[in-house]
Amino acid sequence: MFIVKSNYITNVSSAEMVVKVFREIQSEDFRILNIIESAMSNREYVPTEQIQKFAKLPLERVQFTLDKLHKLGLIYRTKGAYVGYTLNYAGYDCLAINNLVKANVIESFGQILGVGKEADVYDALSPTGQRIAVKFHRLGRISFRQTRRKRGYAREHTTWLFQSHIAAEREFQAMQLVYKNGVSVPEPISHNRHVIAMGMIEGAELSKYIEIGKPEKVLKEILRNIRKAYLKAHVIHSDISEYNIILKPDGHILIIDWPQYVMADHANAEELLERDLKNILSFFNRRFSLKVVAEKACDYVTGKVRNLVI
Ligand SMILES: Nc1ncnc2c1ncn2[C@@H]1O[C@H](COP(=O)(O)OP(=O)(O)O)[C@@H](O)[C@H]1O
Ligand SMILES: [Mg+2]
């Protein structure tokens, strides 16, 4: 079996391409995309006949739509023992965007805000003119096995799309939990499939700052938030680093990128919390020559002591 990839607009990243083709997609096209998506839970490539059966439309109409979707770069076609179709990230993006547009979450897209290891984040506007950030999870950029080892939630035969869906769901859950407990995170607004809409933040990752005014103050704020997440929401981030902390122009921080979170009663909770603390402490030591003993930070974050003196 081999995959024939459509080569329509290959040079732009998927979400940008999707924003371009989005207006060309009609309700019948969405219907076919939806059918492929549902049938993909049983088999990776959905045969044309099966799509037609669910669509209850004449074969020529279904074939016409499939050709259109394929040309727009939203589905992959396989020609092996049978002709079958499967959604790619662009097709999946379309379904999620359509849902978020219908739910009055997104009105229009702007610039790309960040390309991370496993996600693309875009600037967007809500129908009321609020600036929001839209995060598209893109698992599969690093190798499958590596991710499986790293993450507890990957099921044996699920595809990358479904895993990205689960990652977004998890991240949204974690953000809601910590947000309502007053932890500094972007406001979680909505999610659909592998996509999350959240409050837009100005600023840059901590890793980009060569110098900051008062590193003690920033580190204390980070630790205060890790403590709050742990003691009040019982959530451990598990992927804390200088890349997942945004320092805003007002000098305050926000913690982003939560899909790897675990609850405080997780078997490896202690280890993961310690790793988070060590990551951030070693960054402050390296970059700003600020030394804080990990044990001291740990006692503070876990509530053994009330205050952290650094
Ligand atoms: N709410 C937001 N507002 C502005 N930029 C954001 C927001 N969330 C993420 N970003 C940008 O996108 C990048 C990638 O997001 P992140 O959640 O860390 O995903 P990844 O798993 O790809 O690292 C971040 O480093 C940041 O620059
Ligand atoms: Mg990140």
Side-chain angles (χ1 to χ4, degrees):
M1 225 185 233
F2 63 96
I3 305 166
V4 185
K5 282 188 191 169
S6 160
N7 52 13
Y8 184 86
I9 321 181
T10 45
N11 251 345
V12 279
S13 67
S14 159
E16 268 171 77
M17 180 277 246
V18 169
V19 170
K20 283 203 183 98
V21 303
F22 191 73
R23 283 176 216 294
E24 294 179 43
I25 310 170
Q26 269 112 46
S27 62
E28 201 163 295
D29 304 328
F30 277 119
R31 200 160 132 207
I32 300 291
L33 284 175
N34 268 309
I35 288 169
I36 298 174
E37 182 192 34
S38 317
M40 276 167 65
S41 55
N42 294 322
R43 56 202 305 178
E44 203 174 354
Y45 286 89
V46 188
T48 314
E49 295 72 45
Q50 197 184 345
I51 298 170
Q52 190 212 348
K53 204 176 103 200
F54 285 113
K56 299 192 181 72
L57 290 168
L59 184 60
E60 310 85 76
R61 284 259 296 274
V62 172
Q63 198 55 64
F64 176 82
T65 304
L66 288 169
D67 287 344
K68 175 181 171 183
L69 295 172
H70 186 244
K71 216 167 114 199
L72 290 173
L74 305 178
I75 52 178
Y76 290 148
R77 174 188 284 156
T78 178
K79 286 175 176 169
Y82 63 92
V83 178
Y85 295 89
T86 198
L87 290 184
N88 56 27
Y89 268 118
Y92 208 41
D93 290 352
C94 270
L95 288 175
I97 293 172
N98 190 39
N99 188 292
L100 291 169
V101 167
K102 275 198 195 146
N104 282 324
V105 175
I106 303 175
E107 166 91 18
S108 61
F109 275 91
Q111 297 295 312
I112 189 153
L113 290 171
V115 180
K117 272 197 319 281
E118 295 173 335
D120 294 336
V121 182
Y122 286 79
D123 186 4
L125 278 181
S126 77
T128 58
Q130 187 196 355
R131 278 182 82 188
I132 56 174
V134 181
K135 176 171 177 178
F136 294 81
H137 280 261
R138 298 262 188 265
L139 291 182
R141 278 187 184 164
I142 55 173
S143 94
F144 182 55
R145 297 189 54 173
Q146 225 179 333
T147 309
R148 282 218 3 232
R149 233 180 295 128
K150 218 171 62 181
R151 292 165 191 274
Y153 54 78
R155 270 196 291 134
E156 193 71 9
H157 292 294
T158 46
T159 66
W160 289 120
L161 300 190
F162 293 125
Q163 292 190 44
S164 294
H165 180 168
I166 293 165
E169 218 159 60
R170 281 182 56 87
E171 175 160 37
F172 194 71
Q173 261 165 16
M175 287 176 78
Q176 280 185 311
L177 268 174
V178 295
Y179 184 78
K180 72 171 184 224
N181 281 290
V183 179
S184 297
V185 293
E187 180 193 359
I189 297 172
S190 186
H191 92 100
N192 186 263
R193 295 180 173 81
H194 62 314
V195 179
I196 295 181
M198 62 182 131
M200 150 81 194
I201 24 172
E202 308 263 5
E205 295 104 355
L206 206 47
S207 62
K208 299 219 170 105
Y209 290 82
I210 303 302
E211 227 181 80
I212 47 176
K214 294 182 182 128
E216 301 84 5
K217 193 178 147 277
V218 176
L219 178 58
K220 269 189 164 177
E221 190 172 329
I222 294 167
L223 295 175
R224 200 160 57 237
N225 278 286
I226 296 177
R227 175 184 159 104
K228 219 184 260 179
Y230 182 76
L231 291 181
K232 289 194 171 171
H234 311 294
V235 167
I236 298 164
H237 186 287
S238 302
D239 194 20
I240 293 270
S241 73
E242 60 273 29
Y243 304 100
N244 287 332
I245 291 169
I246 305 277
L247 183 58
K248 297 186 289 178
D250 67 5
H252 290 292
I253 60 106
L254 285 173
I255 305 177
I256 59 166
D257 206 357
W258 291 81
Q260 300 202 55
Y261 88 99
V262 297
M263 295 306 289
D265 61 3
H266 187 273
N268 303 110
E270 211 172 300
E271 202 180 298
L272 292 165
L273 183 63
E274 269 172 33
R275 197 182 64 188
D276 275 355
L277 293 173
K278 280 185 182 150
N279 278 347
I280 203 64
L281 293 180
S282 103
F283 170 75
F284 273 83
N285 188 7
R286 251 182 2 252
R287 181 74 55 96
F288 309 117
S289 305
L290 177 62
K291 285 192 183 65
V292 174
V293 183
E295 260 172 40
K296 220 165 134 184
C298 197
D299 284 350
Y300 169 67
V301 163
T302 53
K304 286 195 189 107
V305 296
R306 277 181 76 93
N307 295 303
L308 179 72
V309 187
I310 53 177

